Amino acid sequence: MFKRKNKRKPAATYREVFTKGDWATKLSFVVMGASQLKHKQWAKGLAFLLIEVGFFVWLIHTGISELSLFTSLGPIKAKKVVFDNAQGIYITKLPSNSVVILLFGVLALIILAALIGLYIFNLRSTRNLYVADRDHETIETNKQELKSLFDTRLHATLMTIPIILIVAFTVLPTMYMISMAFTNYNREHAIAFSWTGFQAFGQVLSGDLAGTFFPVLGWTLLWAVMATATTFFFGVLLAMLIESKGIRFKGFWRTLFIIVYAVPQFVSLLLMAQFLDLQGPLNNLLLSWGWIDHAINFIGASANPWVARATVIVVNMWIGIPVSMLVSTAIIQNLPQDQIEAARMDGAGPLQVFRHITFPQILFVMAPSLIQQFIGNINNFNVIYLLTGGYPMNNNYNGAGDTDLLVTWLYNLTFGQLQRYNASAVLGILIFIISAVFSLLAYRRTNAFKEG
Amino acid sequence: MKSYHERQRVSLISRYVLLIFLALVWLFPIVWIVLASFSYNDTGFISTIWPEQFTIQNYVGILTNSQFPFLYWIRNTLVVSLVSMVLSTFVTISVAYSLSRLRFKFRKPFLQIALVLGMFPGFMSMIALYYILKSFNMLNLAGLTMVYIGGAGLGFYIAKGFFDTIPIAIDEAAVMDGATKWQSFIHVGLPLSRPMIVYTALTTFMAPWVDFIFSGIILSSSGNPKDYTIAYGLYNMLHSAKGASTTYFAQFIAGCVIIAIPITIIFVIMQKFYVNGITQGADKG
Amino acid sequence: MKLWKKVIMGSASLVAITLLAACGSGSSSSDSSTKSSTATKISGDVTLWVDTAQVPSYKKLVASFEKKYPDVNVKLTQSPNGSSNAKTDVGKDPAKAADVFQVPNDQLGQMAEAGYINPLSPDAEKEVKADNIDMAATAMTWKDKMYGYPWAQQANILYYNKSKLSADDVKSWDSLTAKGVIGLDFTVPYNVYPVFLTAGTKLYGDDGETLDGSTVASDEGVAAMKWFAQQKANKGVMQTSNALNQLKAGKVGAIIDGPWDATNIKNLLGDNFAVTTLPTLTINGEQKQMQAFIGVMAFAVNSHTATKNQKAAQTLAAWVTNKAGQTELYKSQGQIPVNKEALDASDVKADPVAVAVDKQSAVSTLMPKMPQMATVWNDAAALTNGAYTGSIKAADYMTQLQKFQDAISKK
């Protein structure tokens, strides 16, 4: 790496490269790879050339039409039912399929952006060659170039496939989702839809969904704080209990607790919902012991909202404490003992040691992962979806219940009765903004945002 | 006044009592689930702690059910999770190693972009993923495997944290000896990160066993239950038709218990690596 | 392998025999089947989605179909999430959905509006009208065109435990809940919304297709809300999401459920099994026969199906819903037919469940096909549940009903 840096000459401007370069250099501005081929960097040159050829084949073949369709999301907006006399049946002339048009439009934009990036890379490489020629430097041979892929440019080798995968399976879908928020893709426009700007944002923030959005947002944040704090705090306590002096078979105890986390959630939570039902085993047990007079409606459709919310947090503790216990165990084992010893010598009780030394230290080490947990809890789909399904019902909400988080509401809007795809895309963007703001604030405060 | 030892003993006993009590509370629902899988049930709901009638018919039923081919599901999931395990681990470790040990211009932007991408909820992307796979005619187990592998490039945080803890001097020594970076990756980096590789492999192996949402979106349109994975197959048992949740409920629990056993065992093995990964990543923070 | 083949062949010939019998006896049906047999040129590839449990039954029907139309190749699979989710399953990607699939009639309007399904040809329409009861034909019609081939009817009925309640007890809600306990889920609009209809309100007008024809925000609507509120204090009413379990345990003596659970309930109650129409309710001091939503199951043809396969798809949909098809589904799955002749068969006439559904249908309301039904299902649950639990105060009934009515009447 240092070698390459030293070799770099004061850059020539592209104007200079173009006016003073030889024919191959000039050609490189139009035909990628020309200069590299002339300098016998076969692999690089051919790769550039083939990619450019491939790009233009794609552009002419489908690219142009994809991009032009993207602007309108398809020309035919309404279906037409016609009678087919030959067969004696009705045929539907279908509208444009905007979902596919949108997807391939976004893909075309990504391809375009990738090619522009590659073109700049090509220019830069051409300039390097030009500068090397001008100053009579040695030029890397084809073989050296390839070899460097396993040495100074190892990162390129290792990262190429992952980046392609990330672009295909994360970037493209995310950009697709973002663009969906600016359309009227919903039940009434299920096949063909159009661009409508910020209309869907209006529906969520001030329209018919606003009365649901803000209360659900409030509960989502409260939930995320409570869920993160309770599992963390009690996880630390449990870890300290197991790690405390005199307890034997520590590994065994840890395993007992971790079993709960290991059982797949769609099993444990689905059955937990039955366990807590109005007529479920827990109520029956409490009734038969005489601890309660009436069955408690923990999470049913007509439960008290705050009872249900508290229940959800408690059940989440059941699942979450074992994990946080495991994590804090490792930290406790690695805590510097000298401070604790010193405090003990000064006569501090175990409670004081915990409050002033152990807990702050654990908190310090855990801070970054706590922020991640907080973000994870904002998007904690499983616990709500499988346990309560959003219940109890709330007749002031639209498509959500009292325990619904933004993310489960988003799911309902997409896959439930309402089919408001654009509104749920807006929710997705808003969830992102909220997560980003919170993690930025938190990272700043914990000063852990050094490298991302 | 009691002696120091006596107080110690009281404290230890009370701590044991507390621990046993907590363990009982935690395990109680799990035991109940296992009991439920052995109870005769034809109403789709369990209202008792102790089964009224024990039976192993639920297990016989799930293993021989012709509409819900459980054994095919296990086979499919095993194939998907093994392929995904090998390739995802490769992807994750490559990315984590590059980001931690190599220095290149795109490194910092990549870390930031990855952080941003991770904050978008995944549901909306499912519609896009569906059509991407469809355009490659891959709405099948292979496509599902691709989705799992596709997510691996962003799951590098814990592994990167682990690599960050390995002193850079080890790499430098290797380079001094004339090793290329590739050689130091293969001969120094990978052997050192064995616990991390095991951890990553086990996590990616488990994912297909518990994911019922992505698998549902991608596999459901084939209409052939022999092509399902275990999580979607089981989930589908209860949701395939009106009245199905009653008819197949008991078999559903039995099936769940069967797959929960291996996952639990893997998880118990994995906890050691899990803790190492997290704390070493967090230490660096 | 051999055995398997034998079974298929055997069942195919069995169906063929029933068909022959049907042709011999029927007048109008023989007419129609000769007509379809003249069109021998039908060919193509067709995929068919049915509920998981019904796959074996349809295998037989498809076999007979392929025998009759050897040039048509049918691929039969289970639908992803069941016929009640047809709207979302097909909507996810209509091009990938089956050419012919099952759908309940309340989803037909929305699917037709979205362009997911094709109307029936005038000839097919005539056949459906001639062969099936009028109610079924109405259920398939949306904006003057028919969009599905009906094959079964569903309506909630009352199942009860003979050892706990007598046939007289269950005639009215009041005596039922005085003598025993009924289990009901007030959060499932399919079960409880019909109380509004019972009270005399309209949902989308008399025809179920008038957007501003709902009259739920009215005195009758308030009376229904009051009825819900009264049930909270009624000792004979249990709010439960697992009525079957309560019925088995003997904690409730009666439940309201659809015909799809009949087999399960028969197994639970054994000799104590009894079934009848829904009881009468006292609303505003008057005894009124409790209504249910009538659902008619249909087979619809995907509009994304290639034109060359359209005719084959329509023919298949007609075939699996003809008299023989409906009879087969009744015999193997207990699906209550809508075909006039199939309904007249002696075993249907003797089946208490079928009789109860048929009787209940006569006094009930057909589920509207409006695309806005999605909003009804979505919003009604909170409304009925709110009235039942008391979270909606009596003073707010009218405002809440008005809010609901406005929401469901939006274009």
Side-chain angles (χ1 to χ4, degrees), chain A residues 117-431:
Chain A
L118 209 67
Y119 180 72
I120 292 169
F121 184 55
N122 159 64
L123 283 189
R124 208 172 276 168
S125 159
T126 305
R127 179 174 67 185
N128 286 347
L129 288 173
Y130 164 80
V131 171
D133 265 349
R134 184 187 67 185
D135 301 351
H136 308 290
E137 289 278 335
T138 49
I139 288 165
E140 275 191 324
T141 64
N142 189 39
K143 210 170 158 192
Q144 280 171 327
E145 287 247 309
L146 286 178
K147 254 190 174 170
S148 76
L149 282 176
F150 287 93
D151 192 11
T152 51
R153 292 189 196 126
L154 179 61
H155 58 270
T157 315
L158 288 181
M159 297 283 284
T160 305
I161 292 173
I163 285 181
I164 291 173
L165 286 172
I166 289 171
V167 169
F169 289 97
T170 312
V171 176
L172 173 58
T174 306
M175 285 178 60
Y176 169 81
M177 180 202 88
I178 293 173
S179 33
M180 209 148 88
F182 300 95
T183 67
N184 60 356
Y185 183 25
N186 58 16
R187 193 187 70 208
E188 288 109 271
H189 309 91
I191 299 179
F193 49 86
S194 344
W195 296 109
T196 51
F198 284 89
Q199 217 178 63
F201 283 85
Q203 287 169 2
V204 173
L205 293 174
S206 62
D208 63 330
L209 295 176
T212 316
F213 174 72
F214 291 102
V216 172
L217 171 65
W219 159 240
T220 304
L221 294 178
L222 179 68
W223 148 263
V225 170
M226 291 302 290
T228 313
T230 50
T231 52
F232 167 68
F233 184 73
F234 291 103
V236 169
L237 286 186
L238 181 62
M240 293 188 66
L241 180 63
I242 295 176
E243 284 301 306
S244 67
K245 226 194 266 171
I247 300 281
R248 299 181 64 189
F249 309 115
K250 296 186 193 319
F252 164 76
W253 289 110
R254 279 198 289 272
T255 305
L256 277 191
F257 285 97
I258 208 68
I259 285 173
V260 173
Y261 186 73
V263 175
Q265 293 193 341
F266 74 90
V267 185
S268 58
L269 288 174
L270 221 57
L271 285 165
M272 195 41 129
Q274 291 213 347
F275 190 72
L276 296 170
D277 189 276
L278 192 56
Q279 285 99 15
L282 185 61
N283 267 318
N284 282 342
L285 194 68
L286 294 177
L287 282 170
S288 70
W289 283 349
W291 288 17
I292 50 174
D293 292 333
H294 301 286
I296 302 169
N297 201 342
F298 290 105
I299 51 171
S302 39
N304 178 305
W306 289 104
V307 171
R309 286 170 179 167
T311 310
V312 172
I313 289 172
V314 169
V315 172
N316 183 62
M317 283 165 70
W318 177 61
I319 287 177
I321 286 178
V323 192
S324 111
M325 175 269 292
L326 262 191
V327 177
S328 22
T329 300
I331 299 171
I332 290 169
Q333 286 171 346
N334 295 330
L335 279 184
Q337 291 296 316
D338 43 352
Q339 234 181 333
I340 299 173
E341 286 303 317
R344 285 241 175 85
M345 300 282 255
D346 291 347
L351 207 68
Q352 279 168 305
V353 172
F354 174 75
R355 247 190 75 188
H356 296 293
I357 301 173
T358 325
F359 192 71
Q361 275 177 340
I362 295 173
L363 191 63
F364 177 75
V365 180
M366 292 270 294
S369 85
L370 274 180
I371 295 163
Q372 278 187 359
Q373 270 183 45
F374 179 79
I375 304 295
N377 274 325
I378 287 182
N379 289 317
N380 197 332
F381 178 78
N382 271 6
V383 170
I384 303 298
Y385 180 77
L386 294 172
L387 187 66
T388 68
Y391 283 169
M393 288 180 170
N394 186 323
N395 46 302
N396 297 318
Y397 288 0
N398 193 347
D402 279 317
T403 57
D404 261 320
L405 305 177
L406 286 176
V407 68
T408 53
W409 185 37
L410 180 156
Y411 183 87
N412 290 348
L413 287 177
T414 311
F415 297 98
Q417 289 282 0
L418 293 171
Q419 292 175 289
R420 293 177 69 158
Y421 305 101
N422 55 350
S424 51
V426 171
L427 275 185
I429 294 174
L430 293 175
I431 291 174

Side-chain angles (χ1 to χ4, degrees), chain A residues 1 99 150-151 158 162 169 173 176-177 180 244-245 248 261 274 284 318 323 326 330 381 385 439 451, chain B residues 15-16 26 44 46-47 95 98 103 111 119 123-125 129 131 181-182 213 235 267 271 274-275 279:
Chain A
M1 189 206 277
V99 174
F150 287 93
D151 192 11
L158 288 181
F169 289 97
Y176 169 81
M177 180 202 88
M180 209 148 88
S244 67
K245 226 194 266 171
R248 299 181 64 189
Y261 186 73
Q274 291 213 347
N284 282 342
W318 177 61
V323 192
L326 262 191
F381 178 78
Y385 180 77
S439 39
E451 302 187 322
Chain B
R15 275 181 286 141
Y16 264 119
W26 248 259
I46 307 163
S47 57
V95 173
S98 307
R103 288 293 174 270
L111 279 167
M119 288 178 192
F123 288 117
M124 300 307 298
S125 66
L129 281 175
Y131 280 100
K181 295 202 170 178
W182 172 254
I213 295 194
Y235 191 77
F267 204 91
Q271 50 164 309
Y274 182 79
V275 172
T279 45

Side-chain angles (χ1 to χ4, degrees), chain B:
Chain B
M1 188 170 158
K2 284 175 187 167
S3 75
Y4 175 74
H5 279 288
E6 208 164 319
R7 264 193 297 158
Q8 283 289 308
R9 251 188 65 198
V10 172
S11 143
L12 185 62
I13 288 170
S14 57
R15 275 181 286 141
Y16 264 119
V17 169
L18 183 63
L19 201 55
I20 290 167
F21 171 74
L22 287 175
L24 287 178
V25 169
W26 248 259
L27 288 180
F28 183 68
I30 301 293
V31 173
W32 173 70
I33 292 173
V34 176
L35 281 176
S37 74
F38 285 102
S39 86
Y40 176 78
N41 187 303
D42 52 5
T43 65
F45 185 83
I46 307 163
S47 57
T48 54
I49 304 280
W50 196 255
E52 284 153 355
Q53 192 181 340
F54 278 97
T55 174
I56 58 158
Q57 279 310 309
N58 304 336
Y59 286 90
V60 176
I62 185 71
L63 293 172
T64 55
N65 195 321
S66 61
Q67 278 164 14
F68 301 105
F70 188 72
L71 295 173
Y72 277 91
W73 298 344
I74 292 190
R75 187 201 65 184
N76 293 343
T77 317
L78 199 62
V79 172
V80 168
S81 54
L82 283 175
V83 173
S84 153
M85 177 179 85
V86 172
L87 297 178
S88 302
T89 309
F90 171 75
V91 168
T92 307
I93 296 290
S94 303
V95 173
Y97 186 85
S98 307
L99 292 175
S100 170
R101 313 301 275 183
L102 306 174
R103 288 293 174 270
F104 49 95
K105 232 196 260 167
F106 189 53
R107 182 173 166 277
K108 228 172 175 171
F110 183 89
L111 279 167
Q112 281 159 353
I113 292 171
L115 194 72
V116 167
L117 283 175
M119 288 178 192
F120 279 99
F123 288 117
M124 300 307 298
S125 66
M126 286 195 295
I127 301 178
L129 281 175
Y130 174 86
Y131 280 100
I132 293 170
L133 290 174
K134 189 189 162 198
S135 63
F136 291 103
N137 209 4
M138 277 180 69
L139 289 173
N140 49 26
L141 291 167
L144 185 65
T145 316
M146 286 296 291
V147 171
Y148 293 136
I149 300 168
L154 290 175
F156 57 79
Y157 285 101
I158 291 174
K160 175 180 173 289
F162 182 88
F163 282 122
D164 286 343
T165 59
I166 303 175
I168 197 99
I170 298 179
D171 279 14
E172 281 164 0
V175 173
M176 294 277 264
D177 291 346
T180 62
K181 295 202 170 178
W182 172 254
Q183 284 163 333
S184 86
F185 172 55
I186 293 293
H187 298 295
V188 182
L190 287 188
L192 276 175
S193 59
R194 195 174 295 145
M196 206 58 243
I197 292 174
V198 175
Y199 166 71
T200 314
L202 289 178
T203 4
T204 47
F205 179 82
M206 284 197 334
W209 295 84
V210 296
D211 161 55
F212 61 93
I213 295 194
F214 275 93
S215 52
I217 297 269
I218 289 162
L219 299 175
S220 63
S221 54
S222 82
N224 182 357
K226 284 183 181 164
D227 289 342
Y228 293 170
T229 59
I230 194 98
Y232 176 64
L234 284 171
Y235 191 77
N236 183 257
M237 273 181 89
L238 296 190
H239 296 88
S240 62
K242 275 182 186 160
S245 55
T246 312
T247 320
Y248 298 114
F249 181 68
Q251 293 188 8
F252 165 82
I253 307 180
C256 289
V257 171
I258 293 177
I259 62 154
I261 292 168
I263 298 177
T264 310
I265 292 172
I266 291 178
F267 204 91
V268 168
I269 298 170
M270 199 184 70
Q271 50 164 309
K272 195 172 73 199
F273 302 106
Y274 182 79
V275 172
N276 286 346
I278 292 236
T279 45
Q280 272 160 342
D283 271 341
K284 184 76 184 176

